[in-house]
């Protein structure tokens, strides 16, 4: 230790004070320098900045796994562990010196603080709580304190769903990181992932995803606490404790402050919080973090760096050497020392530990990092194999041996865990090829291992991105949020495309998602739906302003009896009819859609109701019409029954009324559109295609029958058709038709046929003829059924012709009721009557013959 501390400067302060920036600028004020960082990631980041500033040949990068050493290099960017002690430079800078109090790495930082010096200046960067210790070591050191550029404020506990964009969520084990990342992907669209166990290349790629605003969230371990300058607005802790390699312990206020301090960039304020599952944080600690006022570090770790390799005993003895100052803690059980103590007792190794060279070799091997974090015999066996291979091969690793180890890692397939393991394994060989001259072709293996690590890292980055980022979320994050509607394209008016992938189709006021679309995150789905909702709101506005005649019932012939009756705007269903108080008063209602607000649904329903009311009033006039008060009771009764029964009604129930009806009342019925037939009252205007189909729809809506078939309707204005569908009689009446043995015919045409039959019967029985069949479009048998319905009987004569005559059954029944003759008398009288009746078919037949 030296007390010549006149050229020493400590720049201390919390995060976001510009310490690193200031030191970076000071470094280049000298002709040469070394800058030591706590992370390989930071060393690489600042190396890249330096290359851009002064050129590739003037800057070197030295880390455990990567060495770029141009011959002309004047500035060296390193991890603290890799800072060279055999190079004389004008300025030396050591970052995050408070890590000298870290259990695992503290002794290394302490060694660099004590033993590395620049010719003109040595600069220490760190937190304010290291000031007391550094002044004890170097009483004359110049301390420059910096204040944070922005404020750091605590927010109340928050769930992940409440986190605002540009937030980092901190977890302390890999499983928890992945669990949180899955949650964020589902609800926020995606997240970058930063773990200490990731290769630097993968971490860089993940950080780039976040910094480029492809995602708005970052899930990380405490690795981000060490100088990573990210655009983070908020830090949320998912836990307030961590496993430090020995046991679970609470994070210290200083550690919490170091991580929370990543929130806020330059003069932009930051916030921090913790989740409900994290537990509780003492209000006093929260105040400490906000004020960046932490307890001073009382002691730092120290280990003797002047090791004696004369013998195993002398080396162990030098490791046991205690510090001379009470503010140092003697570091015991460092990983390299534990490895060494285990391997020196191995009988295969012990016999070679007779020379200083072999002992130094074993110590160097024991310092190979455990990138897989195995902490078990597998790691020790690897170290043992490397040592024995070197001893047996003249201190060189055979090409075949390392090739066998490395080649099996060239397979870049597998999931995230498998890729992570492969990267950890290749990093071991990358470390060896960069730090030792154990390989004959060092340059080749540097390139080879680095290439494999890069390939694996890129594959892992891709896997992390696919798993934790929904690609479609990029359209809704950051600067592109304002362009959502441009990125979600409408093609062919209704198809929705997201980045050239079809997402769905807008039908009416709803979105039908494409079945082939891959699973989206809830975040993307909610944003897509938000954009679609805006589109549909515009469509609703167009609908409200559209002409009312743009609404229709679609193709009614394709309407199933037991299905809902839909209302269409153009060719898109937008509503449906529901049963109302009466058959002529159906309710019109907008179809349910999550994209419709309650207000818009009411507006749509109101317009649809107005349309159907107008449609019924105009198309089915005078159905639904209020009858004038001036009508007589008889006419009112006839009109009422006709109007209530789709414009037709059997005359039989009003026979007596019609016997005495005046000409004036007949005219009144005619003005109402009602015609008087022989068997039916009917309204001819309702037999047209449009009113007929509307009547069928009204019947279907009101009676809600469960028949699973299409509405039986005449095609192309036909006056008759055959139907095998069993329908209630009131359905046929609703469309103005009569159904006899599945032959369906229109009432007004039936009245014409009945009129012709009555004219013919005045001349006596009559034969079937085309003038009876053609108007109604029936065959001989169907005509027979129609004539039977009219009260006629038939006989088949020559040429299979049917002869129709009036049925006498009613008269016979009347006579039977009054005379009650015996059977013989009845038959005789019956025969006599037939013989005597000149209009009987038998009499006619006699004449014809």
């Amino acid at each position: 230790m030296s007390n010549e501390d006149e050229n020493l400067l400590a720049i201390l302060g919390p995060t976001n004070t510009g310490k690193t920036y200031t030191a970076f600028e000071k470094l280049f004020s000298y002709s040469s320098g070394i800058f030591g960082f706590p992370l390989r990631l930071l060393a690489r980041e600042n190396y890249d900045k330096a290359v851009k500033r002064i050129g590739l040949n003037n800057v070197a990068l030295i880390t455990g796994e990567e060495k770029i050493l141009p011959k002309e290099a004047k500035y060296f960017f390193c991890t603290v562990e890799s800072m060279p002690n055999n190079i004389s430079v004008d300025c030396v800078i050591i970052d995050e010196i408070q890590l000298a109090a870290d259990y695992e790495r503290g002794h290394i930082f302490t060694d660099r603080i004590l033993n590395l010096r620049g010719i003109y200046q040595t600069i220490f960067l760190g937190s304010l709580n290291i000031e007391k210790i550094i002044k004890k070591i170097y009483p004359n050191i110049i301390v420059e304190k910096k204040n944070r550029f922005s404020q750091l404020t605590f927010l109340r506990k928050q769930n992940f769903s409440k986190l605002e964009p540009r937030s980092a969520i901190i977890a302390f084990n890999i499983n928890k990181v992945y669990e949180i990342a899955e949650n964020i992907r589902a609800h926020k669209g995606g997240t970058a992932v930063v773990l200490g166990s990731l290769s630097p290349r993968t971490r860089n790629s993940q950080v780039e995803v976040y910094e480029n605003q492809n995602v708005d969230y970052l899930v990380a371990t405490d690795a981000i606490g060490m100088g990573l300058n990210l655009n983070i607005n908020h830090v949320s802790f998912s836990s307030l404790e961590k496993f430090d390699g020995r046991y679970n312990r609470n994070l210290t206020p200083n550690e919490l402050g170091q991580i929370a301090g990543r929130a806020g960039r330059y003069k932009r304020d930051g916030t921090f919080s913790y989740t409900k599952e994290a537990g509780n944080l003492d209000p006093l600690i929260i105040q400490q973090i906000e004020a960046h006022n932490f307890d001073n570090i009382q002691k730092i770790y120290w280990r003797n760096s002047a090791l004696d390799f004369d013998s195993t005993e002398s080396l162990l003895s030098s490791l046991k050497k205690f510090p001379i100052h009470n503010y140092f803690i003697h570091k015991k059980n460092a990983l390299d020392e534990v490895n060494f103590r285990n391997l020196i007792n191995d009988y295969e190794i012990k016999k070679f530990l007779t020379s200083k060279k072999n002992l130094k070799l074993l110590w160097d091997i024991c310092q190979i990092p455990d990138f897989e974090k195995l902490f078990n015999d597998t790691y020790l066996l690897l170290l043992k194999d490397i040592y024995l291979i070197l001893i047996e091969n003249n201190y060189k690793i055979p090409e075949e041996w390392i090739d066998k180890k490395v080649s099996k890692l060239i397979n870049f397939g597998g999931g995230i865990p498998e890729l992570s393991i492969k990267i950890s394994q290749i990093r071991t060989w990358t470390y060896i090829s960069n730090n030792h001259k154990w390989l004959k072709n060092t340059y080749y293996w540097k390139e080879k291992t680095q290439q494999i690590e890069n390939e694996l890292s890129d594959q892992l980055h891709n896997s992390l991105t696919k798993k934790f980022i929904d690609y479609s979320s990029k359209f809704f994050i950051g600067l592109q949020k304002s362009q959502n509607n441009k990125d979600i394209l409408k093609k062919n008016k209704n198809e929705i495309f997201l980045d050239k992938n079809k997402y769905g189709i807008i039908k009416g006021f709803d979105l039908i998602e494409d079945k082939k679309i891959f699973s989206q995150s809830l975040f993307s789905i909610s944003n897509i739906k938000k954009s679609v909702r805006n589109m549909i709101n515009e469509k609703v506005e167009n609908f409200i302003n559209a002409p009312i005649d743009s609404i229709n019932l679609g193709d009614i012939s394709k309407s199933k009896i037991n299905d809902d009756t839909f209302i269409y705007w153009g060719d898109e269903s937008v509503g449906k009819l529901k049963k109302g108080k009466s058959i002529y008063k159906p309710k019109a209602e907008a179809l349910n859609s999550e994209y419709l607000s309650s207000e818009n649904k009411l507006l749509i329903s109101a317009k649809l109701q107005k349309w159907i009311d107008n449609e019924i009033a105009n198309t089915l006039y005078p159905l639904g019409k209020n009858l004038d008060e001036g009508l007589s009771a008889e006419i009112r009764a006839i009109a009422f029954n006709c109007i209530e029964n789709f414009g037709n009604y059997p005359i039989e129930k009003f026979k007596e009324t019609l016997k005495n009806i005046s000409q004036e009342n007949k005219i009144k019925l005619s003005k109402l559109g009602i015609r008087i037939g022989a068997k039916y009252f009917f309204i001819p205007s309702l037999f047209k295609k449009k009113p007929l189909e509307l009547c069928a729809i009204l019947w279907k809506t009101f009676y809600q029958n469960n028949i699973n078939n299409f509405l039986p309707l005449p095609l192309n204005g036909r006056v008759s058709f055959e139907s095998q569908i069993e329908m209630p009689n009131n359905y046929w009446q609703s469309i103005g038709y009569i159904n006899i043995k599945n032959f369906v015919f229109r009432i007004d045409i039936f009245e014409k046929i009945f009129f012709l039959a009555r004219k013919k019967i005045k001349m006596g029985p009559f034969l079937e003829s085309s003038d009876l069949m053609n108007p109604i479009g029936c065959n001989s048998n169907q005509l027979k059924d129609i004539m039977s319905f009219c009260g006629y009987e038939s006989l088949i004569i020559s040429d299979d012709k049917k002869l129709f005559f009036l049925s006498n059954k009613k008269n016979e029944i009347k006579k039977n009721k009054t005379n009650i003759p015996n059977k013989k008398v009845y038959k005789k009288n019956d025969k006599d009557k037939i013989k005597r009746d000149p209009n009987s078919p038998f009499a006619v037949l006699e004449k014809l013959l």
Side-chain angles (χ1 to χ4, degrees), residues 20-30 35 53 93:
T20 307
Y21 174 81
T22 300
F24 192 83
E25 293 300 316
K26 284 182 177 292
L27 180 71
F28 290 111
S29 67
Y30 295 95
F35 204 143
R53 181 163 175 166
I93 303 172

Side-chain angles (χ1 to χ4, degrees), residues 16 118 134 261 437 501 518 532 670 680:
N16 193 27
I134 207 71
K437 296 181 179 180
N501 292 307
F518 57 86
V532 171
S670 180
Y680 290 94

